[in-house]
Amino acid sequence: MLDEKGNFFIIEAILAIILLLIVILAFNSLILFQNSDYSSDIKNSMSAQEIMEVLDGKINFTDQSFLGDISAILKEKKNSKESIQEVSQLCDEKFETFKLQNYRFSENNLLDGKTLASDGDYSKAKDISVASRDYGDYSYTLSVW
């Protein structure tokens, strides 16, 4: 009889431990459960850093990046008004592919903060994402809001 009661207590202890583990896991999953109440201010646009990575990225080792292309145009034509207009047109076309609604792209070093492309009212901007990249002597800044 003592053997049977010993086996019963072991089985009962194992079941109690399993039940305790189930309760702990259930409690843990309730704590870690994310709230599905998402903010209505979710942005569907890329951040400035992501866009600058694309602009500065090369397709392969022989191709020049977009920043390299516009820097070459500006340098070749010695930052003339015509070169700035040409670069502004290229920038407008490039930023249309990103489908951005509010942005400002400028050169801060040799052109003294000249805005090359923009869309939206910067004075009313909130939560601005900013990224900068240097290419040669040129320093470009992109602000997205």
Side-chain angles (χ1 to χ4, degrees), residues 63-124:
D63 290 338
Q64 196 169 12
S65 67
F66 179 77
L67 295 182
D69 289 341
I70 62 174
S71 296
I73 292 169
L74 291 170
K75 185 175 182 178
E76 182 179 297
K77 297 182 180 178
K78 298 181 176 144
N79 303 327
S80 66
K81 287 184 180 182
E82 293 81 20
S83 67
I84 293 172
Q85 289 174 349
E86 182 181 349
V87 166
S88 292
Q89 183 179 359
L90 289 172
C91 291
D92 286 335
E93 292 170 2
K94 187 67 169 181
F95 286 112
E96 280 180 19
T97 63
F98 295 120
K99 295 180 173 74
L100 296 175
Q101 294 178 357
N102 299 307
Y103 65 91
R104 183 170 72 180
F105 184 69
S106 58
E107 198 289 323
N108 300 313
N109 192 25
L110 298 178
L111 301 179
D112 296 323
K114 174 75 176 164
T115 299
L116 300 174
S118 68
D119 191 18
D121 188 2
Y122 189 75
S123 64
K124 297 179 182 178

